[in-house]
Amino acid sequence: MSWRELKVFLTHVPWDSATARSVRGSTPEEDYWSPDRQLMAAMVDAQREHTYVTVKLHGDPKKTKRLRPPEPIPRPGVEKRKNTRVIRFGGRHGSGAAELAKVFGGRATNP
């Protein structure tokens, strides 16, 4: 094989081949989640959320009471959704009305 043939071969090798992956230095997992697959997963997630909202808003409240939002498709770089219904006070940032009064410069209780 001549140098020219090698150059043409390497120029036209498929992007997901082992040769192209070793040249880029990427893993099969990174190559699997290409930008077009990330976009497709985002579109599927959006459609599932839209369906959930439509059913929740227009469905019978007795039947949709226990309906939960869909989980997104697991993919690298996207963290699993946390329970957003739980409101917690305390932790490292302080808690309660006294802490809020410090932040906003008011009193902790009503007169």
Side-chain angles (χ1 to χ4, degrees), residues 5-23:
E5 290 172 336
L6 178 63
K7 180 185 175 197
V8 170
F9 173 76
L10 291 176
T11 303
H12 297 290
V13 72
W15 70 272
D16 58 346
S17 68
T19 305
R21 193 177 323 121
S22 71
V23 168

Side-chain angles (χ1 to χ4, degrees), residues 17-49:
S17 68
T19 305
R21 193 177 323 121
S22 71
V23 168
R24 282 192 309 272
S26 60
T27 64
E29 177 75 13
E30 292 169 346
D31 283 346
Y32 181 78
W33 285 102
S34 61
D36 59 337
R37 289 190 185 211
Q38 289 274 5
L39 181 60
M40 184 64 73
M43 288 173 32
V44 169
D45 287 343
Q47 181 62 43
R48 291 172 64 201
E49 289 174 6

